[in-house]
Amino acid sequence: MFPGAVPAEPPVGFPQAVLFDRDGTLVVDVPYNGDPARVVPMPTAREAVAAVRAQGIPVGVVSDQSGVGRGVLTWRQVVAVQRRVEDLLGPFALWAVCPHWDEVCDCRKPAPGLVLAACDWLGIPPAQAAVIGDIGADTAAARAAGARGVLVPTPVTLPEEVREAEVFASDLLQAVRLVLPEPAR
């Protein structure tokens, strides 16, 4: 276990969905990536997503894509990258994407809107969702929505984000094991 990782004792029936951040969590973060050829899975991403699916639990993605609002990316590029992620990791039950940059919105993390929208679309209460991400905004969005957040630090994760995380893991597979029911551990 990663030093300082907090073992999770999931509530009964937890989780009913696992929501992953995209860039820096499922795939290597390439700023404003609109090129599917540049999509590379993070270490253990395939295994982590497969472990959730093996439990029959829906997997989704909650992703800020401010490049759309900045005019750096088109929706077509965002969708092309999503398709490549699915080619590499399999299909996701949903993609909740915030395209905003300078507008005040309820969906750009750390606001809870993406998590709430994903849970609403899946028909589950947010308290029964786990959100896994690589920065504090991901876990803050989970907390604000009433979901459980797990931080998987990367070199871009700030030390204070790690200190403030309620639960963190050394990689995606460990993060998933922290939230899945006992047989998956």
Side-chain angles (χ1 to χ4, degrees), residues 13 21 31 47 52 55 58 74 103 113 115 122 139-140 142 162 174 182:
D21 171 58
E47 297 86 351
V52 177
Q55 294 285 314
T74 66
E103 303 96 56
V115 176
L122 291 168
T139 55
V162 176
Q174 184 193 33
E182 192 63 38

Side-chain angles (χ1 to χ4, degrees), residues 3-27:
V6 179
E9 289 303 322
V12 175
F14 182 81
Q16 292 182 19
V18 176
L19 307 173
F20 294 93
D21 171 58
R22 189 187 88 178
D23 301 318
T25 302
L26 286 175
V27 299

